[in-house]
Amino acid sequence: MKKLLLISLLSIGLFANENVDKALEYIEKQEFKKAYILLEKESKKGDGKAQYNLGVMYAIGQVVNQDYKKAKELYQKSADQGYAEAKYNLGVMYDKGLGVQQDYKKAKDFFQKSANQGFAKAQFNLGVMYDNGIGVQQDYKKAVELYQKSADQGVAEAQYNLGIMYVNGLGVKQDYKKAKIFFQKSANQGFAKAQYNLGVMYENGIAVKQDYTKAIELYLKSADQGFVEAQYSLKILCKEHPEIYTQ
């Protein structure tokens, strides 16, 4: 089963607020206490961007004690003002049952609202729900459509999932060449599963010229991130072709 992305963190937002912008600068500098003071002040004034970012601090327990219910309350206030990131994070909370009772339909609704605003992570998570039939009727074509929108915005997990869809012919005609293209895009961003699958393609000459050296290179990158399948494949391939690589 394909997994969803988790809570989205820092948000620069679209509307100018000097104090909130300063708070985000403090967060980037890891001066979290100063950031919290400003965000709390602006949140009480009803600033949606401040409410969202303060919600993130409560969700991850940054400076304050972790409090999902407080995070949910702040996300809701921000979402009511139209913040796509807040809607996305509410979706994650309902999907995982964080501070709320787990409810896949509500998660889907919030992901849909966020995705409708073009938020890439929400498009990806909504795609996963359609792919796996979670909170919705399974629909591979809809999943592919959403993955594509997310992948076009550079989400590595969406690029990887598109590759999987093309490998298996789910919602699209099976096409190993397109699968390779999407695995490559994802692998270029350092996504371990994509590096592994691309390695498999090079090892077996699937949609590419067989290249053991390239396969080993990709397995190494994936294995270095702790991906067990890559570690195993690397061991086997190096044993079979010690002239290429010796650990």
Side-chain angles (χ1 to χ4, degrees):
M1 179 181 287
K2 300 180 181 73
K3 295 183 179 181
L4 278 67
L5 294 175
L6 300 180
I7 286 173
S8 184
L9 302 179
L10 186 78
S11 171
I12 60 173
L14 297 175
F15 306 105
N17 181 314
E18 187 175 341
N19 279 341
V20 177
D21 291 342
K22 187 66 176 177
L24 298 183
E25 289 179 13
Y26 282 138
I27 289 174
E28 290 179 345
K29 295 176 182 177
Q30 297 190 342
E31 297 180 33
F32 300 119
K33 288 184 179 180
K34 291 181 179 179
Y36 174 80
I37 292 170
L38 289 176
L39 290 175
E40 185 180 39
K41 178 181 178 181
E42 296 306 313
S43 178
K44 288 179 178 178
K45 293 179 182 179
D47 186 283
K49 184 166 64 172
Q51 291 164 342
Y52 168 78
N53 284 292
L54 188 61
V56 170
M57 297 187 85
Y58 276 103
I60 64 178
Q62 201 169 61
V63 177
V64 294
N65 290 329
Q66 190 177 54
D67 187 335
Y68 289 126
K69 289 185 178 181
K70 182 67 175 178
K72 187 264 179 184
E73 175 189 328
L74 288 159
Y75 289 153
Q76 188 66 65
K77 289 179 179 179
S78 180
D80 289 343
Q81 296 188 61
Y83 272 79
E85 294 95 330
K87 296 171 187 176
Y88 166 79
N89 279 8
L90 281 170
V92 171
M93 298 190 85
Y94 276 105
D95 176 74
K96 302 297 180 185
L98 303 175
V100 294
Q101 185 174 348
Q102 189 178 51
D103 189 325
Y104 293 126
K105 289 186 178 180
K106 284 187 178 180
K108 181 265 178 184
D109 288 343
F110 280 113
F111 287 147
Q112 184 70 68
K113 290 176 182 178
S114 183
N116 289 346
Q117 293 178 246
F119 193 58
K121 289 183 178 181
Q123 292 167 338
F124 170 77
N125 279 11
L126 193 57
V128 171
M129 298 190 87
Y130 277 104
D131 193 350
N132 294 294
I134 301 171
V136 294
Q137 186 174 348
Q138 191 174 52
D139 187 332
Y140 291 130
K141 288 186 178 180
K142 185 68 175 176
V144 168
E145 175 189 329
L146 288 158
Y147 287 153
Q148 186 67 65
K149 289 179 179 179
S150 183
D152 288 344
Q153 295 188 66
V155 175
E157 292 87 347
Q159 294 164 346
Y160 168 78
N161 279 8
L162 272 175
I164 293 295
M165 301 300 270
Y166 276 105
V167 164
N168 294 308
L170 299 175
V172 290
K173 184 178 179 180
Q174 188 179 56
D175 189 327
Y176 292 121
K177 288 185 178 179
K178 284 188 177 179
K180 185 267 178 185
I181 290 171
F182 285 114
F183 286 148
Q184 184 70 67
K185 289 180 178 181
S186 184
N188 288 346
Q189 296 193 66
F191 194 58
K193 289 183 179 180
Q195 292 167 337
Y196 168 74
N197 279 14
L198 196 57
V200 171
M201 298 186 89
Y202 276 102
E203 180 180 357
N204 295 285
I206 301 171
V208 293
K209 184 178 179 180
Q210 190 174 52
D211 188 331
Y212 293 131
T213 300
K214 185 68 175 177
I216 287 174
E217 175 189 329
L218 287 158
Y219 287 154
L220 269 172
K221 289 179 179 179
S222 182
D224 285 344
Q225 296 186 65
F227 195 61
V228 176
E229 288 89 340
Q231 294 169 347
Y232 177 78
S233 294
L234 178 64
K235 182 178 180 181
I236 297 299
L237 190 56
C238 289
K239 184 177 181 180
E240 292 176 348
H241 300 276
E243 74 281 0
I244 299 175
Y245 180 82
T246 303
Q247 287 188 313

